[in-house]
Amino acid sequence: MSTRFSCSIPLPASFRAGDILAFHRRDAQEIAERVTASSLQKGLFWAAAPACLSIHFAADMATAKLDIDDIDDSDDSDDSDGISSIAGNAATRSEAAFQAMLRRMLGLTQDIEQFASHYHQHPQLGPLIAGHPGLRVPLTATPFEALTWAITGQQISVRAAVSVRRKLIVATGRRHSSGLFCYPEARQIAALSEDDLRRAGFSMSKTRCLRSLAQGVLSGKLPLAAWLMTLPIDEIREQLLGVPGIGPWTVNYALLRGFGNLDGSLHGDVAVRRKLQALLASPEKISEAQARDWLAPFTPWRALVAAHLWAMPTRT
């Protein structure tokens, strides 16, 4: 018998459901996420079992359910790569864990009100805050998903990264009974050969990075689930930087999208520097050092400032 969790979460008046839906609307082929004007379905793993997360947005409420397929008892896989390692199996994982994941994904753990109160009169940032009231950062379902997406997107366009991501999901080959593919966890990535990852479109350096990341998670060296509960930011940063192929931008992006840390400096992000150049009306491109120095005074909100820069309209 399959397992289902469900809940309804009240939303703030300023909640921007469109931002959440847009984040998951990256792939028009919708192999792992289906997005409508008011809903999201996402394939993922829950305690090693294929699952489908469904979220429907109304004016002041998010209604969600998690449908979890039965898992073959013969599957003795280690499931320590994401939040699903917190409990033993899909039947015993608590509804509280489901609700905690949902709140993180929707950005409801982010204290954006304090941020807006502190900076609403800032000469450059104030108008951005006024222009994007209620802006929150959508999170991935797990830190592992954020890390693998960041690695995938290193030094290539978003369009190319989406294509490679799709091939990676298909290569791991697990579907939920709804038909959606499930985004892979560390165990599925570790099971792929270098040739499998190369055929999916990863460079050799990214291939080795992904395999090292997956092996580190499975070995317990990179305890993503435990980190998600305690958020030891310095330890997370130090350990992730020890993975060949993971640099400061990847770490800061993953800290933001996977863990909900709002203070990573995204000065290495090309889009952040481009939008900052427009914000400052600078005739010259903004360097990484200049972006880092401009973001520095906004601690502990530097990544949220970057999100406001991302949200700036692109000038044509």
Side-chain angles (χ1 to χ4, degrees), residues 161-183:
V162 168
S163 176
V164 174
R165 177 184 186 266
R166 183 191 313 128
K167 293 174 185 176
L168 174 66
I169 295 170
V170 172
T172 58
R174 292 294 299 275
R175 288 181 186 260
H176 180 259
S177 56
S178 65
L180 285 174
F181 279 92
C182 299
Y183 194 87

Side-chain angles (χ1 to χ4, degrees), residues 4 30 45 57 90 94 96 109 186 246 262 273 290 294:
R4 170 180 285 192
E30 296 192 324
F45 286 95
F57 294 101
S94 72
T109 61
I246 290 183
L262 298 179
R273 298 201 305 274
Q290 289 172 319
W294 190 84

Side-chain angles (χ1 to χ4, degrees), residues 48 75-81 85 185-187 217-220:
D75 187 347
D76 59 354
S77 59
D78 183 343
D79 152 61
S80 62
D81 46 323
S85 65
E185 295 185 331
R187 181 177 61 85
V217 171
L218 292 175
S219 71

